[in-house]
Structures are given as structure tokens and as C-alpha cells.
Amino acid sequence: MKFFLIAGEPSGDHLGAALMVGLKALVPDATFHGIGGPRMAAEGLESLFPMDELSLMGIWEILPRYRHLKRRIAETAEAVIACDPDALITIDSPDFCLRVAAAVREQRPRQRTIHYVAPSVWAWRAGRALKMAKVIDHVLAILPFEPPYMQAAGMSCDFVGHPVATATVSGPDDAALFRARHGIAPEAPVVLCLPGSRKSEVSRLAARFDEALMRLRDRVPEIRVVLPTVPGVAHMVHDMARRWPTAPIVIEESEEKMAAFAAADLALAASGTVSLELAANRIPMVIGYDMAPLSRLIIGALLKTDTVTLVNLVSDTRAVPEFLGSACKPGPLALALQGALEDMPARKAQLDAMDLTMDRLGKGGEAPGLRAARSVIRAITEPR
């Protein structure tokens, strides 16, 4: 079997790589083509062009690069048609991926199409599912409450679990070694700063997060700030961190990131899947997020939920404090961080919500990549 996969950001690269592992286990002679990052490259994918060209989010952020992205959409659709795959598998990044799927469908109406990660129609723009159903046959959902939304729109859909629920978590020995390597006292609170994996997120949130952490340090002087980052924005993070009064420890290596998570007592993070990574490691957190004013205005008007934090949504609680849009300011963030560090009942409520979240996402079950691969094979071998 031959598969064309498209991932547009680091989380998609992670999902795509795990799916490739699962597909190779089920179909040993499978071949892969498409767009991906370093994880998918390690599994044998030669990317059509660098994945980080697609790591954009928000209306205002996309507009300046619209012409370039339009060319990339056409180029990618042509590559899919030339490849003639058994399945086109698009992974998240719907603004790009679904346009490619639509362009392919125009020329190949019978092309099997699968989308990995259901759009958050339960949060905003419910009409996206109906629009997506015109070009997508099957959906791989990573949240347990999503399949009914996709099925109602006319697509088949399986909940395949979330990779974070079965990911390896570092232990206390790794935490102690991390503290020793970086000269962090055993009793000093370690605070993770995670301003996002997209350039637009880092540029918009980093200064606010640093100011919030400076205010927290004024109240809790012994804190140490650790700033894990990813390849696409690492250069930005290093440049910014050199100017930050909090003097964070910047880390890029995945093993060192795992050790930092094991050592952490608290996190300040951008909204997104990182909240689930934090939950898997049982790290109390505060979530902040903002976008360009136009994007904020439009998305804010369409939002249907009172929270966007995945831990809150999956656990059906509101244990994790979040500050979105105009509320994402250093003062409130700092107060919430202090509360998440020192308020023991609030910390316990977060930890309970995290444990429930991991159970509902498939902790202890089959690896999501393999479950997703089984779902893909069923979708392309069953009659239409």
C-alpha cells in the first residue's frame, strides 16, 4: 500500500510518525510520501517541502502568506495525483490540508481521503464538519466525544486515542538528574514556560509570559524557569530568552524535555495539546492564549464553549485556569500561577482532572498510532 501524508506542525508530525509506525506494523511493504517534520522523516518520509512553512494559525497571521500557501496547495495536490496513493491522509492543519483534499477530489473523485484529528466543531464553527464531509471520507478522532459530530456530518469516524495517554513519562530519578545538571536546588520550584510551537504564538505570548513569571518570582524568589522549545521556533526562543530577566533554562532535546517535565512543579502554557502533555506528567498549569485582534474578534464571536483547555473539556471540569484574548495579561497570569503553586486544594483539583483526562484518552490501552493504523486500513478496504 502507498500513503500520502500531510502534517503541518510539530503535533501533526508526532501523530504522523506514530501512524507510520502502526501502518508499517500492519503493512510491512507500505510506502510513504508527503509533507512532514523530523519525526516523520525518521520513519522514512521525504518531505515535499519544509513542514514549518505551514505552521501558521489565525486569519491575520495567514493573510501575508496567502499567495505562497496557495502555490503550495496546488503543488501538493499535483504531487498527490502523481503519487496515486491508496489513501491521502491529512493530519490536522485544516486550512491547508482540506484545501489540498478538495483540489485532489476535483481531479480524482474516487480518491480515499482520511483526516487525522477531528475539527473542534464542538467549540466553534460547527459548519466545518459538513464542509469537510465533501472532501473527507473518514476521520481519526483523538478526543472521545468527537465521533458523533463527524458521523452526523456524513463521515465515518473512530476514536483512536490520544498519543499523550500512552507516552513514556520520566520518573523521579530523571527529575533529580535534571535538577543536578542545571544547578537547581531540590526544594526550588521549577516552572515550565511554554509559549507555543508556532512563530506567531511565540512572538505574541513570550513577552507576556516572561512578565508574568517575573511577577511570580517577586512573590516566590526561589523559582527556576525552564523553557522547552521545538525546532521551528528554537531560534526565536533563544533570542528572546537572552533578553528575559527571568533567565530561563532553554532546552531543545526531547529527552531533556521529558526530564524537565518530570522535575516541574508548575507550568505556564499556550492553549493546545501541550496541556495534555502536562496532564500526563501531572503538572498543575495555567493556560494563556491570544491572537491578532482580527482573529480574536472573529473567533471570539464564534466560540461555543466557556473553555478551550483540553484537560477541562475531556474531564468535564474547569480545574485549569485559563486566560484568553484580552484577559491574557501578566498580572492575572501571575496570580493564577501563585495559586496553582501554593493553593493545595486547587492543585489537587487539577491533578484529579488530569488523571480522569488520561483515563478517558486511553491510558493503559493499545498505542494510538496502531489503533489509528487499524482504522485507516479498515477505511480503505471496506466498500464505499
Side-chain angles (χ1 to χ4, degrees):
M1 286 184 175
K2 185 162 46 176
F3 302 95
F4 197 105
L5 298 90
I6 305 172
E9 53 190 307
S11 60
D13 183 42
H14 183 91
L15 291 171
L19 174 59
M20 291 170 69
V21 171
L23 287 170
K24 285 189 285 188
L26 300 178
V27 188
D29 61 347
T31 58
F32 303 96
H33 308 264
I35 301 163
R39 291 175 181 269
M40 293 170 71
E43 296 302 328
L45 182 80
E46 185 174 342
S47 190
L48 187 62
F49 53 81
M51 182 192 72
D52 60 9
E53 290 187 23
L54 307 181
S55 295
L56 298 169
M57 184 176 183
I59 298 160
W60 189 253
E61 292 79 3
I62 289 172
L63 282 176
R65 303 196 61 196
Y66 176 73
R67 289 180 183 275
H68 177 73
L69 290 172
K70 194 172 181 181
R71 285 195 299 270
R72 287 304 199 193
I73 289 167
E75 178 185 351
T76 306
E78 289 171 7
V80 176
I81 292 164
C83 176
D84 188 22
D86 291 279
L88 166 61
I89 305 173
T90 54
I91 307 170
D92 214 354
S93 302
D95 289 330
F96 182 86
C97 286
L98 298 184
R99 283 175 170 83
V100 172
V104 171
R105 270 286 172 85
E106 284 184 9
Q107 297 188 56
R108 289 173 59 89
R110 301 290 293 172
Q111 175 65 59
R112 293 277 191 174
T113 53
I114 298 168
H115 191 68
Y116 198 171
V117 184
S120 51
V121 297
W122 37 266
W124 70 298
R125 287 175 58 199
R128 283 178 295 167
L130 291 171
K131 186 177 180 181
M132 189 169 109
K134 295 176 182 178
V135 298
I136 296 295
D137 300 313
H138 183 68
V139 180
L140 309 175
I142 63 174
L143 299 176
F145 51 78
E146 292 177 323
Y149 292 95
M150 302 298 102
Q151 292 159 356
M155 296 169 284
S156 58
C157 182
D158 291 329
F159 167 60
V160 297
H162 199 292
V164 75
T166 55
T168 302
V169 177
S170 295
D173 290 344
D174 299 291
L177 288 171
F178 179 85
R179 286 175 176 268
R181 276 195 299 274
H182 295 283
I184 304 173
E187 68 280 2
V190 171
V191 184
L192 300 179
C193 178
L194 299 149
S197 60
R198 302 179 181 93
K199 294 176 182 177
S200 58
E201 292 173 333
V202 173
S203 61
R204 194 169 300 281
L205 296 174
R208 295 184 221 186
F209 280 18
D210 184 46
E211 173 66 25
L213 292 167
M214 283 194 291
R215 296 188 185 197
L216 177 63
R217 193 178 61 179
D218 289 341
R219 299 170 183 137
V220 189
E222 64 272 21
I223 68 165
R224 293 293 302 276
V225 177
V226 177
L227 215 171
T229 189
V230 294
V233 296
H235 65 288
M236 293 178 63
V237 168
H238 279 285
D239 287 345
M240 289 177 173
R242 279 191 282 270
R243 302 191 297 270
W244 285 16
T246 49
I249 300 165
V250 180
I251 54 175
E252 295 184 54
E253 301 81 7
S254 58
E255 289 186 2
E256 190 71 345
K257 175 184 172 182
M258 289 176 64
F261 273 55
D265 300 285
L266 180 66
L268 173 58
S271 176
T273 55
V274 71
S275 68
L276 298 180
E277 291 184 65
L278 295 167
N281 287 272
R282 305 186 85 241
I283 304 170
M285 70 192 88
V286 173
I287 298 296
Y289 203 79
D290 199 8
M291 307 176 79
L294 178 60
S295 302
R296 182 204 298 173
L297 181 66
I298 294 172
I299 293 172
L302 297 173
L303 197 63
K304 299 194 301 180
T305 65
D306 63 346
T307 181
V308 298
T309 299
L310 292 171
V311 173
N312 288 342
L313 289 162
V314 175
S315 67
D316 195 24
T317 69
R318 298 299 180 264
V320 176
E322 64 179 22
F323 300 85
L324 310 178
S326 60
C328 184
K329 296 178 180 178
L333 290 171
L335 286 172
L337 285 166
Q338 186 177 7
L341 185 64
E342 298 177 346
D343 183 338
M344 292 302 107
R347 284 180 69 86
K348 184 179 185 304
Q350 283 211 42
L351 294 172
D352 290 345
M354 293 172 191
D355 292 342
L356 179 57
T357 295
M358 290 301 106
D359 288 342
R360 289 180 174 177
L361 291 181
K363 184 177 181 179
E366 187 176 56
L370 185 56
R371 290 177 66 178
R374 293 190 199 283
S375 182
V376 165
I377 300 302
R378 282 198 303 271
I380 63 179
T381 55
E382 291 179 354
R384 288 181 182 269

Coordinates of all heavy atoms in Angstrom, one line a residue, residues 270-326:
A270 N 0.8 28.0 26.5 CA -0.2 28.4 25.5 C -1.2 27.3 25.4 O -1.0 26.1 25.6 CB 0.5 28.5 24.1
S271 N -2.4 27.7 25.0 CA -3.5 26.7 24.8 C -3.1 25.7 23.7 O -2.6 26.1 22.6 CB -4.8 27.4 24.4 OG -5.8 26.5 24.2
G272 N -3.4 24.5 23.8 CA -3.1 23.5 22.8 C -2.9 22.1 23.4 O -3.1 21.9 24.6
T273 N -2.3 21.2 22.6 CA -2.1 19.9 23.1 C -1.1 19.7 24.2 O -1.0 18.7 24.9 CB -1.7 18.9 21.9 OG1 -0.6 19.5 21.3 CG2 -2.9 18.8 20.9
V274 N -0.3 20.8 24.4 CA 0.7 20.7 25.4 C 0.0 20.6 26.8 O 0.6 20.0 27.7 CB 1.6 22.0 25.4 CG1 0.9 23.2 25.8 CG2 2.9 21.8 26.3
S275 N -1.2 21.0 26.9 CA -1.9 20.9 28.2 C -2.1 19.4 28.5 O -2.1 19.0 29.7 CB -3.3 21.6 28.2 OG -4.2 21.0 27.3
L276 N -2.2 18.6 27.5 CA -2.3 17.1 27.7 C -1.0 16.5 28.1 O -0.9 15.6 28.9 CB -2.9 16.4 26.5 CG -4.4 16.9 26.1 CD1 -4.8 16.1 24.9 CD2 -5.3 16.7 27.3
E277 N 0.1 17.0 27.5 CA 1.4 16.5 27.9 C 1.7 16.9 29.4 O 2.2 16.1 30.2 CB 2.5 17.2 27.1 CG 2.6 16.8 25.6 CD 3.7 17.4 24.9 OE1 4.9 17.1 25.3 OE2 3.5 18.2 24.0
L278 N 1.3 18.1 29.8 CA 1.4 18.4 31.2 C 0.5 17.6 32.1 O 1.0 17.2 33.2 CB 1.0 19.9 31.4 CG 1.9 20.9 30.7 CD1 1.3 22.3 30.6 CD2 3.3 21.0 31.3
A279 N -0.7 17.3 31.6 CA -1.6 16.4 32.4 C -1.0 15.0 32.6 O -1.1 14.4 33.6 CB -2.9 16.3 31.7
A280 N -0.4 14.5 31.5 CA 0.2 13.1 31.6 C 1.3 13.1 32.6 O 1.5 12.1 33.3 CB 0.7 12.7 30.2
N281 N 2.0 14.2 32.8 CA 3.1 14.3 33.8 C 2.6 14.9 35.1 O 3.4 15.1 36.0 CB 4.2 15.2 33.3 CG 5.0 14.5 32.2 OD1 5.9 13.8 32.5 ND2 4.6 14.7 30.9
R282 N 1.3 15.1 35.3 CA 0.6 15.6 36.5 C 1.3 16.9 37.0 O 1.6 17.1 38.1 CB 0.7 14.5 37.6 CG 0.0 13.2 37.1 CD -0.1 12.2 38.3 NE -1.3 12.4 39.0 CZ -1.3 12.7 40.3 NH1 -0.2 12.9 41.0 NH2 -2.4 12.8 41.0
I283 N 1.4 17.9 36.0 CA 1.9 19.2 36.3 C 0.8 20.2 36.4 O 0.2 20.5 35.3 CB 3.0 19.6 35.3 CG1 4.1 18.5 35.2 CG2 3.6 21.0 35.6 CD1 5.0 18.8 34.0
P284 N 0.5 20.8 37.5 CA -0.5 21.9 37.5 C -0.1 23.0 36.6 O 1.1 23.3 36.4 CB -0.6 22.3 39.0 CG -0.1 21.1 39.7 CD 0.9 20.4 38.8
M285 N -1.1 23.6 36.0 CA -0.8 24.6 34.9 C -1.7 25.8 34.9 O -2.8 25.7 35.5 CB -0.9 23.9 33.6 CG -2.3 23.5 33.2 SD -2.4 22.4 31.7 CE -2.3 20.8 32.5
V286 N -1.3 26.8 34.3 CA -2.1 28.0 33.9 C -2.0 28.2 32.4 O -0.9 28.1 31.9 CB -1.7 29.3 34.6 CG1 -2.4 30.5 34.1 CG2 -1.9 29.1 36.1
I287 N -3.1 28.4 31.7 CA -3.2 28.5 30.3 C -3.4 29.9 29.9 O -4.3 30.6 30.4 CB -4.3 27.6 29.7 CG1 -4.0 26.1 30.0 CG2 -4.4 27.8 28.2 CD1 -2.7 25.5 29.4
G288 N -2.6 30.4 28.9 CA -2.8 31.7 28.3 C -2.8 31.7 26.8 O -2.0 30.8 26.3
Y289 N -3.6 32.5 26.2 CA -3.5 32.5 24.7 C -4.1 33.8 24.2 O -5.0 34.4 24.7 CB -4.3 31.3 24.1 CG -3.9 31.0 22.7 CD1 -2.7 30.2 22.5 CD2 -4.6 31.4 21.6 CE1 -2.3 29.9 21.3 CE2 -4.1 31.1 20.3 CZ -3.0 30.3 20.2 OH -2.5 30.0 18.9
D290 N -3.6 34.2 23.0 CA -4.1 35.4 22.3 C -3.7 35.3 20.9 O -2.8 34.5 20.5 CB -3.5 36.7 22.9 CG -4.4 37.9 22.6 OD1 -5.5 37.7 22.0 OD2 -3.9 39.0 22.9
M291 N -4.4 36.0 20.1 CA -4.2 36.1 18.6 C -4.2 37.5 18.2 O -4.4 38.4 19.0 CB -5.3 35.3 17.9 CG -5.5 33.9 18.4 SD -6.9 33.0 17.6 CE -6.1 32.5 16.1
A292 N -4.0 37.7 16.9 CA -4.1 39.1 16.3 C -5.5 39.6 16.6 O -6.5 38.8 16.6 CB -3.8 39.0 14.8
P293 N -5.7 40.9 16.7 CA -7.0 41.5 17.0 C -8.1 41.0 16.1 O -9.2 40.7 16.6 CB -6.8 43.0 16.9 CG -5.3 43.2 17.2 CD -4.6 42.0 16.6
L294 N -7.9 40.9 14.8 CA -9.0 40.5 13.9 C -9.3 39.0 14.1 O -10.5 38.7 14.2 CB -8.5 40.7 12.4 CG -9.5 40.2 11.4 CD1 -10.8 41.0 11.5 CD2 -8.9 40.4 10.0
S295 N -8.3 38.2 14.3 CA -8.6 36.8 14.6 C -9.3 36.6 15.9 O -10.3 35.8 16.0 CB -7.3 36.0 14.6 OG -6.6 36.1 13.4
R296 N -8.9 37.4 16.9 CA -9.5 37.3 18.2 C -11.0 37.7 18.1 O -11.9 37.0 18.7 CB -8.8 38.2 19.2 CG -9.3 38.1 20.6 CD -9.0 39.4 21.4 NE -7.6 39.6 21.5 CZ -7.1 40.8 22.1 NH1 -8.0 41.7 22.4 NH2 -5.8 41.0 22.2
L297 N -11.3 38.7 17.4 CA -12.7 39.2 17.3 C -13.6 38.2 16.6 O -14.7 37.9 17.1 CB -12.7 40.5 16.5 CG -14.0 41.2 16.3 CD1 -14.6 41.7 17.6 CD2 -13.9 42.4 15.3
I298 N -13.1 37.6 15.5 CA -13.9 36.7 14.8 C -14.1 35.4 15.5 O -15.2 34.9 15.7 CB -13.3 36.5 13.4 CG1 -13.4 37.8 12.5 CG2 -14.1 35.3 12.6 CD1 -12.6 37.7 11.2
I299 N -13.0 34.8 16.0 CA -13.1 33.6 16.7 C -13.8 33.7 18.0 O -14.6 32.8 18.4 CB -11.7 33.0 16.9 CG1 -11.1 32.6 15.5 CG2 -11.7 31.7 17.8 CD1 -9.6 32.2 15.6
G300 N -13.6 34.8 18.7 CA -14.3 35.0 20.0 C -15.8 35.1 19.8 O -16.6 34.6 20.6
A301 N -16.3 35.6 18.7 CA -17.7 35.7 18.4 C -18.3 34.4 18.1 O -19.5 34.2 18.3 CB -17.9 36.7 17.2
L302 N -17.5 33.4 17.6 CA -18.0 32.1 17.1 C -17.8 31.1 18.2 O -18.4 30.0 18.1 CB -17.3 31.7 15.9 CG -17.5 32.6 14.6 CD1 -16.6 32.1 13.5 CD2 -18.9 32.6 14.2
L303 N -17.1 31.3 19.2 CA -16.8 30.3 20.2 C -18.0 29.8 21.0 O -18.8 30.7 21.4 CB -15.7 30.8 21.2 CG -15.0 29.8 22.1 CD1 -14.1 28.9 21.2 CD2 -14.1 30.5 23.1
K304 N -18.2 28.5 21.1 CA -19.4 28.0 21.7 C -19.2 27.4 23.1 O -20.1 26.9 23.7 CB -20.0 26.8 20.8 CG -20.4 27.3 19.4 CD -21.2 26.3 18.7 CE -20.5 25.0 18.5 NZ -21.3 23.9 17.8
T305 N -17.9 27.3 23.5 CA -17.6 26.8 24.9 C -17.1 27.8 25.8 O -16.5 28.9 25.3 CB -16.6 25.6 24.8 OG1 -15.4 26.1 24.3 CG2 -17.1 24.5 23.8
D306 N -17.1 27.6 27.1 CA -16.6 28.5 28.0 C -15.1 28.2 28.4 O -14.5 28.8 29.3 CB -17.4 28.6 29.3 CG -17.5 27.3 30.0 OD1 -17.1 26.3 29.5 OD2 -17.9 27.3 31.2
T307 N -14.5 27.2 27.8 CA -13.1 26.8 28.0 C -12.6 26.2 26.7 O -13.3 25.6 25.9 CB -13.0 25.9 29.1 OG1 -11.6 25.6 29.3 CG2 -13.7 24.6 28.9
V308 N -11.3 26.4 26.4 CA -10.7 25.8 25.3 C -9.6 24.8 25.8 O -8.9 24.2 24.9 CB -10.1 26.8 24.3 CG1 -11.2 27.7 23.7 CG2 -9.0 27.7 24.9
T309 N -9.4 24.7 27.0 CA -8.3 23.9 27.6 C -8.8 22.4 27.5 O -9.8 22.1 28.1 CB -7.9 24.3 29.0 OG1 -7.5 25.7 29.0 CG2 -6.9 23.4 29.6
L310 N -8.0 21.6 26.9 CA -8.4 20.2 26.7 C -8.6 19.4 28.0 O -9.5 18.6 28.0 CB -7.4 19.5 25.8 CG -7.4 20.0 24.3 CD1 -6.2 19.4 23.5 CD2 -8.7 19.7 23.6
V311 N -7.8 19.7 29.0 CA -8.0 19.0 30.2 C -9.4 19.3 30.8 O -10.1 18.4 31.3 CB -6.9 19.4 31.2 CG1 -7.2 18.8 32.6 CG2 -5.5 18.9 30.7
N312 N -9.8 20.6 30.7 CA -11.1 20.9 31.2 C -12.2 20.3 30.4 O -13.2 19.8 31.0 CB -11.3 22.5 31.1 CG -10.4 23.2 32.2 OD1 -10.0 22.7 33.1 ND2 -10.2 24.5 31.9
L313 N -12.0 20.2 29.1 CA -13.0 19.6 28.2 C -13.2 18.1 28.4 O -14.3 17.6 28.5 CB -12.7 20.0 26.8 CG -12.9 21.5 26.4 CD1 -12.2 21.8 25.1 CD2 -14.4 21.8 26.2
V314 N -12.1 17.4 28.4 CA -12.1 16.0 28.5 C -12.6 15.5 29.9 O -13.4 14.6 30.0 CB -10.8 15.3 28.1 CG1 -10.8 13.8 28.3 CG2 -10.4 15.7 26.7
S315 N -12.1 16.2 30.9 CA -12.5 15.8 32.3 C -13.9 16.4 32.7 O -14.4 16.0 33.7 CB -11.5 16.3 33.3 OG -11.5 17.7 33.3
D316 N -14.4 17.3 31.8 CA -15.7 18.0 32.1 C -15.6 18.7 33.5 O -16.5 18.6 34.3 CB -16.9 17.0 32.1 CG -18.2 17.7 32.0 OD1 -18.3 18.8 31.5 OD2 -19.2 17.1 32.5
T317 N -14.5 19.4 33.7 CA -14.3 20.2 34.8 C -13.8 21.6 34.3 O -13.6 21.8 33.1 CB -13.3 19.7 35.8 OG1 -12.0 19.7 35.2 CG2 -13.5 18.2 36.2
R318 N -13.6 22.5 35.2 CA -12.9 23.7 34.9 C -11.8 24.0 35.9 O -11.6 25.1 36.4 CB -13.9 24.9 35.0 CG -15.1 24.8 34.0 CD -14.6 24.8 32.5 NE -15.6 24.6 31.5 CZ -16.0 23.5 31.0 NH1 -15.4 22.3 31.4 NH2 -17.0 23.5 30.1
A319 N -11.0 22.9 36.1 CA -10.0 22.9 37.1 C -8.8 23.7 36.7 O -8.1 24.3 37.6 CB -9.5 21.5 37.5
V320 N -8.5 23.8 35.4 CA -7.3 24.5 34.9 C -7.7 26.0 34.6 O -8.6 26.2 33.8 CB -6.7 23.8 33.7 CG1 -5.6 24.6 33.1 CG2 -6.3 22.4 34.0
P321 N -7.1 26.9 35.3 CA -7.4 28.3 34.9 C -6.8 28.7 33.6 O -5.7 28.3 33.2 CB -6.7 29.1 36.1 CG -5.7 28.2 36.6 CD -6.1 26.8 36.4
E322 N -7.6 29.5 32.8 CA -7.2 29.9 31.5 C -7.5 31.4 31.3 O -8.5 31.9 31.8 CB -7.8 29.1 30.4 CG -9.3 29.2 30.3 CD -9.9 28.3 29.2 OE1 -9.3 27.4 28.7 OE2 -11.0 28.7 28.8
F323 N -6.6 32.1 30.5 CA -6.8 33.5 30.3 C -6.6 33.7 28.8 O -5.5 33.6 28.2 CB -5.7 34.3 31.1 CG -5.9 34.1 32.6 CD1 -5.3 33.0 33.2 CD2 -6.6 35.0 33.3 CE1 -5.4 32.8 34.6 CE2 -6.8 34.8 34.7 CZ -6.2 33.7 35.3
L324 N -7.7 34.0 28.1 CA -7.7 34.1 26.7 C -8.0 35.5 26.2 O -8.7 36.3 26.8 CB -8.8 33.2 26.1 CG -8.8 31.7 26.6 CD1 -10.0 31.0 26.0 CD2 -7.5 31.0 26.3
G325 N -7.4 35.8 25.0 CA -7.6 37.1 24.4 C -7.2 38.3 25.3 O -6.1 38.3 25.8
S326 N -8.1 39.2 25.5 CA -7.7 40.4 26.3 C -7.5 40.1 27.7 O -6.9 40.9 28.4 CB -8.9 41.5 26.2 OG -10.1 40.9 26.6

